[in-house]
Amino acid sequence: MALTVSAQLAVGQIRYSIPEEMTVGSFVGNIGTDLGLEPKRLVSGKGRVFTTGGSEYVGLERDKGHLIVKERIDREQLCGELSVCSISFNMILENPVELFRVHVDILDINDNSPVFPRGEIEVEISELAIPGARFSLESAIDPDVGMNTLQTYTLHPTDHFNLNIQSRADGSKNVEMVLQTALDREKKMNHYLTLTAVDGGKPQRSGTVKIHVLVLDANDNAPVFSQSSYKTSVVENAAKGTLVTTVSATDADESSHNIQYYFEHPSATVKALFVVDSESGEVRVTGEIDYEKHKQFKIKVTAKDHGGLTDSSEILIDVIDINDNTPKITIISFFSALPEDAGIGTVVAMINVQDFDSGDNGRVVCSIDRDLPFKIESSLTNDYSLVTDSTLDREQTQEYNITITATDGGSPFLSAKETLTLKISDVNDHAPQFEQPAYNAYVLENNSPSLSIISVKAEDADWGQNARVSYFIDDGSLNGDPLTSYVSINSDSGVIYAAKSFDFEQLKSFKIQVKAQDGGSPPLSSNTTLNIFIQDQNDNAPQILYPVQTSSSVVAEMVPRSADVGYLVTKVVAVDVDSGQNAWLSYKLQKATDRALFEVGAQNGEIRTVRQVTDKDAVKHRLTVVVEDNGQPSRSATVIVNVAVADSFPEVISEFTNFNHDTTYSDNLTFYLILALAVVSVLFIFSLTAIISVKIYRWRQNRLFYKSAPNLPVIPYYPPVYADGTLQRVYNYEMCGTTDSRMSDIKFVRPYSQNTLVNMSRAGTVQREKKEQEEDADLSFEMCIRKED
């Protein structure tokens, strides 16, 4: 046994010998042991027997590794006259693929006796036949071979005849009956003999035939063939009536033209395929000659004259093969699906190709298309393997139609084709890929939770579960909170939702990492960056920083009567914590005591005089200024600015007490003010003398102070540093004066911080506490002038 093993396909040959006619189930051989295979390998590899023919004579018991007889084997039926008879089949294992060629030689047993074609042979012999004349007898047939076939003949009785046995080149026997003593028709017309054929088997078998010898009147000469044997040939599939050869015999008698020709004891096959003309000796075709069934014919022909004398010869007809058989392709094993990561040399299919012609007509070449990543390799005679020749990629080609072509060497050649459909199964060799390396999403603040922000999409070139993409948000935190508290994602669709409502003033943007992971094993993944930008909404109204409006004080700005056109009265300062156009502020004068005297800068909020102040103008003015942002819809805030037109503080004081308080003061506060005024009036009556002297003194002191102050401009307060482009002023001072000179003061104020918005009432604005008005009967007030450093 020769054994060759390759990386993925193992092939080998092994031979057994068994006698014919073994009973079904008989043991042939232990192929597992003989090939060195483990018993479990035959089971796990799904070992099986593959036979190209229609009959499967030998089967496999996987669990034992035994080859057993599966069908009755008759060597004579299987191989006919061939001395060497064998059957061949393949044993196949899978995972990995292994192929073994098994030959089983069928040994002949002496199961056939020699048989004569007929039960009786009739021979006509002239009484003038001289001793030594030979008469050919019909041979017995023994389909066995070797020593089991026909070996010799015996004749009984032997008083007139004996036997002459000649061996032919092919090993067959030619038997002739030889005349020993002359015959006398007048004494005995009929002679009966027994011819026995004996084989060489153990036990010995024999067959007999009766010979009837009819003695004829004198016929001097027997026919004689022109050749002891005729050798010719005929093409298979020759047309009926085709002349194969012509036999001829001559007779020295005058009646030689009466010679008759016939086949001596022809077989059924010869009778079906050939005929000899009894008069002309022409041998012609009468049936369909098939080289694949019969490659040669041996026909014994006899010439007989009218006197009964005969001669015999042999016709050897060789059948010439023509290319009339198309190659037959048989798929022994085929893996209809192959993973795309299969290595080069992986077996896809095992193929058997047979062509029953001979020579070049039966020499087959197997091939496939060259542009496929596969190739054909020859493993054993007539067996081929289809293997991978390069790497596979399911994403490029998901299925291959592989056409196997088997072509013989005849002229013209014949070919057969077999198409195999091979599907490439997917492996997880591609990670999901996002459509974009980064995504930008924009969300309006004050959004509702569960709002859909954006949808990300990743594609996976794999198939099935390997291409099923799930989406995740990578772990991370923002401002100490996990990112999942800000956004969530649908793992199947990739839609990202807001997990909370965003506030632009607190969070303007953030980024997250989104991971796409496939369902392969092991899974593959990729990431993309999602930038989320919070867009501002106009959800904050402008805030008035100056002038400060409180319910406990009245703020007034003083304008001298000598003020020129464009005189800066004060400036309304406001901010909006929104951004962009939502924080763009505009100012307009909504109400005014005299619209012709004042105007407001639309962009800067500065209140200036429009014309020259005249004596006819009122001393006190109330201006209502609206600050409006540029949002959609817009939001606004309103501030009231009190302006006093006077050249001196006393003049302002007299008018200032008449300023109406904000309508937002409560009724209780008004009641307390009235009560306080009443108490002061009563006290004033009882202490008039003392009060007049004190008032005169205080009035003189304040007069001196205000004479130096009426031309000072009223500088509005500017807030400190504020976000989004509001004015930046750092240092401020304030000067406060009251009717009581002992309370006058000038002091520096620290820079304002963000608490200014809340605690503006503490910044030293011109104010008068109502509670002090109740307690202070002399109606003192304070006015503050602030100036930026």
Side-chain angles (χ1 to χ4, degrees):
M1 178 186 68
L3 184 62
T4 303
V5 180
S6 66
Q8 296 191 16
L9 173 63
V11 296
Q13 299 188 35
I14 191 169
R15 183 177 292 274
Y16 297 98
S17 296
I18 61 172
E20 64 174 328
E21 303 291 350
M22 292 181 70
T23 58
V24 175
S26 298
F27 175 78
V28 175
N30 191 329
I31 193 169
T33 301
D34 296 338
L35 293 176
L37 300 174
E38 296 182 3
K40 62 181 181 180
R41 173 68 177 115
L42 294 174
V43 177
S44 63
K46 300 179 181 178
R48 59 189 175 90
V49 169
F50 171 78
T51 305
T52 57
S55 299
E56 187 174 322
Y57 294 104
V58 178
L60 173 66
E61 290 184 339
R62 291 182 189 170
D63 53 343
K64 298 179 180 179
H66 292 174
L67 292 177
I68 60 172
V69 176
K70 196 172 182 181
E71 293 184 17
R72 173 182 171 272
I73 303 175
D74 186 350
R75 194 207 67 82
E76 289 73 36
Q77 182 181 1
L78 186 64
C79 300
E81 299 177 359
L82 297 177
S83 59
V84 178
C85 181
S86 65
I87 59 175
S88 299
F89 56 87
N90 293 330
M91 193 191 77
I92 304 168
L93 298 175
E94 299 178 357
N95 299 322
V97 176
E98 293 183 278
L99 176 65
F100 302 94
R101 176 65 59 81
V102 181
H103 301 279
V104 179
D105 294 328
I106 309 301
L107 304 179
D108 183 51
I109 63 174
N110 194 24
D111 59 338
N112 292 282
S113 299
V115 176
F116 289 95
R118 291 185 293 177
E120 182 177 346
I121 300 174
E122 185 174 322
V123 180
E124 295 177 345
I125 302 176
S126 173
E127 62 179 339
L128 297 179
I130 59 175
R134 296 177 301 165
F135 302 93
S136 178
L137 298 178
E138 184 176 10
S139 299
I141 300 173
D142 191 336
D144 293 327
V145 295
M147 290 301 297
N148 294 327
T149 192
L150 178 64
Q151 297 296 319
T152 188
Y153 292 92
T154 60
L155 184 65
H156 182 80
T158 59
D159 52 352
H160 287 283
F161 301 93
N162 62 10
L163 292 178
N164 179 28
I165 302 173
Q166 298 176 346
S167 297
R168 298 191 182 99
D170 61 355
S172 63
K173 305 294 183 180
N174 181 38
V175 59
E176 293 178 331
M177 188 172 61
V178 181
L179 181 64
Q180 297 294 321
T181 59
L183 299 175
D184 188 351
R185 186 175 184 277
E186 286 69 29
K187 290 183 179 181
K188 191 175 183 178
M189 182 182 301
N190 296 294
H191 296 267
Y192 294 96
L193 305 109
T194 299
L195 179 64
T196 302
V198 182
D199 63 24
K202 293 182 180 181
Q204 195 175 58
R205 291 174 176 268
S206 63
T208 61
V209 65
K210 296 295 184 180
I211 301 176
H212 177 206
V213 178
L214 179 62
V215 181
L216 302 177
D217 275 337
N219 183 16
D220 298 273
N221 297 285
V224 178
F225 276 102
S226 59
Q227 299 178 29
S228 61
S229 65
Y230 295 85
K231 189 171 184 179
T232 185
S233 62
V234 64
V235 178
E236 72 168 324
N237 299 330
K240 293 180 180 180
T242 300
L243 177 64
V244 178
T245 188
T246 301
V247 297
S248 65
T250 58
D251 193 327
D253 296 328
E254 294 182 357
S255 59
S256 61
H257 60 279
N258 291 324
I259 295 176
Q260 300 290 316
Y261 302 94
Y262 59 91
F263 292 145
E264 184 178 336
H265 313 304
S267 64
T269 301
V270 171
K271 288 181 180 180
L273 299 178
F274 302 98
V275 67
V276 61
D277 190 285
S278 61
E279 295 181 357
S280 64
E282 292 180 347
V283 179
R284 294 185 180 272
V285 176
T286 58
E288 296 291 337
I289 301 175
D290 188 354
Y291 173 85
E292 287 68 46
K293 293 181 179 179
H294 305 281
K295 295 176 174 58
Q296 187 183 65
F297 295 95
K298 296 178 181 180
I299 306 173
K300 195 169 185 180
V301 62
T302 300
K304 181 179 181 183
D305 63 17
H306 73 285
L309 299 179
T310 62
D311 191 16
S312 62
S313 182
E314 187 178 54
I315 304 174
L316 297 176
I317 305 175
D318 291 325
V319 180
I320 300 174
D321 181 48
I322 65 172
N323 194 25
D324 61 339
N325 286 280
T326 301
K328 180 182 178 183
I329 301 175
T330 304
I331 306 300
I332 301 175
S333 178
F334 172 54
F335 301 95
S336 59
L338 196 67
E340 61 177 321
D341 62 347
I344 297 176
T346 301
V347 177
V348 177
M350 300 181 65
I351 307 152
N352 179 269
V353 181
Q354 294 283 346
D355 193 319
F356 296 105
D357 293 323
S358 65
D360 290 341
N361 295 334
R363 189 172 294 110
V364 179
V365 176
C366 205
S367 63
I368 60 172
D369 295 339
R370 292 186 177 180
D371 57 346
L372 295 176
F374 306 97
K375 66 179 179 179
I376 289 285
E377 292 180 345
S378 178
S379 53
L380 297 173
T381 305
N382 298 326
D383 288 324
Y384 298 88
S385 298
L386 176 65
V387 299
T388 56
D389 192 35
S390 61
T391 57
L392 306 175
D393 189 350
R394 189 205 67 85
E395 287 69 43
Q396 291 185 0
T397 306
Q398 301 178 7
E399 182 179 284
Y400 290 94
N401 290 320
I402 308 170
T403 300
I404 301 169
T405 303
T407 306
D408 62 25
S411 180
F413 64 84
L414 297 177
S415 63
K417 294 184 177 182
E418 185 76 20
T419 300
L420 303 178
T421 300
L422 175 66
K423 296 184 181 297
I424 307 302
S425 59
D426 185 55
V427 297
N428 193 27
D429 57 346
H430 288 82
Q433 296 296 321
F434 282 97
E435 295 175 346
Q436 300 175 213
Y439 293 81
N440 294 329
Y442 300 88
V443 184
L444 285 174
E445 65 172 330
N446 304 320
N447 59 285
S448 61
S450 74
L451 173 70
S452 174
I453 298 176
I454 193 174
S455 176
V456 296
K457 183 71 173 178
E459 296 289 343
D460 195 314
D462 293 320
W463 182 81
Q465 186 68 22
N466 294 332
R468 183 176 180 180
V469 180
S470 299
Y471 302 91
F472 306 94
I473 294 177
D474 277 356
D475 294 336
S477 61
L478 179 64
N479 297 330
D481 297 325
L483 287 174
T484 52
S485 65
Y486 289 84
V487 292
S488 63
I489 190 169
N490 187 309
S491 60
D492 294 325
S493 64
V495 177
I496 297 176
Y497 301 91
K500 62 189 298 184
S501 179
F502 299 119
D503 186 355
F504 174 82
E505 286 69 43
Q506 294 182 1
L507 180 65
K508 292 179 171 55
S509 67
F510 63 96
K511 65 173 58 178
I512 62 173
Q513 291 290 323
V514 180
K515 179 172 73 172
Q517 179 174 292
D518 60 28
S521 180
L524 300 178
S525 63
S526 63
N527 293 336
T528 188
T529 301
L530 173 61
N531 298 305
I532 299 178
F533 298 95
I534 311 302
Q535 292 182 313
D536 183 47
Q537 279 190 317
N538 193 25
D539 57 342
N540 291 282
Q543 298 181 25
I544 305 297
L545 301 182
Y546 183 83
V548 178
Q549 301 290 296
T550 64
S551 60
S552 60
S553 64
V554 177
V555 179
E557 304 294 344
M558 187 178 72
V559 177
R561 296 186 182 275
S562 61
D564 296 331
V565 176
Y567 178 82
L568 177 61
V569 178
T570 188
K571 181 175 182 178
V572 177
V573 180
V575 294
D576 195 319
V577 295
D578 292 324
S579 66
Q581 66 178 9
N582 294 329
W584 296 351
L585 302 180
S586 60
Y587 304 82
K588 63 180 178 179
L589 188 61
Q590 186 180 42
K591 296 180 181 178
T593 305
D594 187 353
R595 283 185 173 272
L597 182 58
F598 302 100
E599 67 176 0
V600 177
Q603 302 300 324
N604 54 23
E606 293 179 349
I607 301 177
R608 295 180 180 271
T609 57
V610 179
R611 57 177 176 79
Q612 188 75 35
V613 180
T614 64
D615 295 336
K616 296 181 179 181
D617 292 325
V619 175
K620 58 181 180 179
H621 295 267
R622 186 183 181 92
L623 308 180
T624 302
V625 178
V626 175
V627 183
E628 186 176 55
D629 61 27
N630 198 37
Q632 294 294 332
S634 62
R635 293 176 177 268
S636 62
T638 303
V639 63
I640 297 176
V641 179
N642 295 310
V643 179
V645 178
D647 290 328
S648 61
F649 276 103
E651 188 177 357
V652 173
I653 293 172
S654 62
E655 296 293 338
F656 181 72
T657 55
N658 295 324
F659 270 71
N660 293 327
H661 293 290
D662 198 338
T663 57
T664 60
Y665 291 174
S666 64
D667 293 337
N668 291 334
L669 182 58
T670 304
F671 170 79
Y672 292 138
L673 291 174
I674 294 173
L675 180 60
L677 291 175
V679 172
V680 171
S681 300
V682 172
L683 293 175
F684 179 75
I685 295 173
F686 288 101
S687 56
L688 180 60
T689 305
I691 292 174
I692 291 175
S693 61
V694 173
K695 287 294 183 181
I696 292 173
Y697 176 78
R698 290 180 178 178
W699 180 83
R700 288 180 178 178
Q701 293 296 325
N702 287 331
R703 186 68 176 177
L704 294 174
F705 173 74
Y706 283 116
K707 282 183 179 181
S708 60
N711 294 326
L712 293 175
V714 179
I715 305 300
Y717 158 73
Y718 291 94
V721 176
Y722 202 86
D724 289 322
T726 53
L727 296 175
Q728 302 181 3
R729 295 291 185 265
V730 178
Y731 297 102
N732 300 274
Y733 68 87
E734 64 179 12
M735 180 181 68
C736 299
T738 66
T739 54
D740 186 356
S741 62
R742 291 172 299 174
M743 299 179 64
S744 299
D745 191 15
I746 296 177
K747 65 181 178 178
F748 288 93
V749 184
R750 60 180 175 83
Y752 285 88
S753 64
Q754 293 180 354
N755 295 329
T756 304
L757 296 177
V758 180
N759 302 318
M760 187 59 70
S761 60
R762 299 180 181 180
T765 59
V766 178
Q767 57 184 346
R768 178 74 171 177
E769 298 292 341
K770 290 184 175 62
K771 190 177 292 184
E772 293 179 359
Q773 292 176 355
E774 296 173 359
E775 296 174 355
D776 192 352
D778 57 3
L779 299 176
S780 65
F781 76 96
E782 73 177 12
M783 173 169 287
C784 296
I785 299 176
R786 295 179 181 84
K787 185 177 180 68
E788 298 178 1
D789 190 7

